[in-house]
Amino acid sequence: KKVATLKQELDEANDRANEAEAKLREKDVLVDKLENDLKAAHQKLSLTEEELDKAETSVTELTARAETAEATAEDSSSQMKVFEDSLYKEQEKAEAFESELTAL
């Protein structure tokens, strides 16, 4: 009877060991999946960071170009005003000469 009891206990222990091993394999599969998911998330984060860096660089370059264009536009506007003033003065001179010619 003791042998039968020991055999039953051994069978139960083997069953518990098999169940524990099966659970361990399931946990290992889950851990592997989570590690792969984490690795994929890190890769995605790295790509996103690279895209962000590129976008920041583009914004910086575009801002610099916009500032340069704005300065150029201001210079052109200033030069145009000088030319307009000069043209106005030349027109006044031409009108004055024309009046003198007409008077002769």
Side-chain angles (χ1 to χ4, degrees), residues 59-77 79:
V59 166
T60 301
E61 290 172 358
L62 289 173
T63 300
R65 288 172 59 189
E67 289 171 353
T68 301
E70 184 178 5
T72 302
E74 288 174 1
D75 288 345
S76 295
S77 178
Q79 288 176 358

Side-chain angles (χ1 to χ4, degrees), residues 34 48 53 55 58 64 68 70 79 83 88-89 92-93 96 103:
L34 290 174
T48 303
D53 288 344
S58 292
T68 301
E70 184 178 5
Q79 288 176 358
F83 287 136
Y88 179 73
K89 289 177 183 175
E92 286 181 339
K93 284 182 185 177

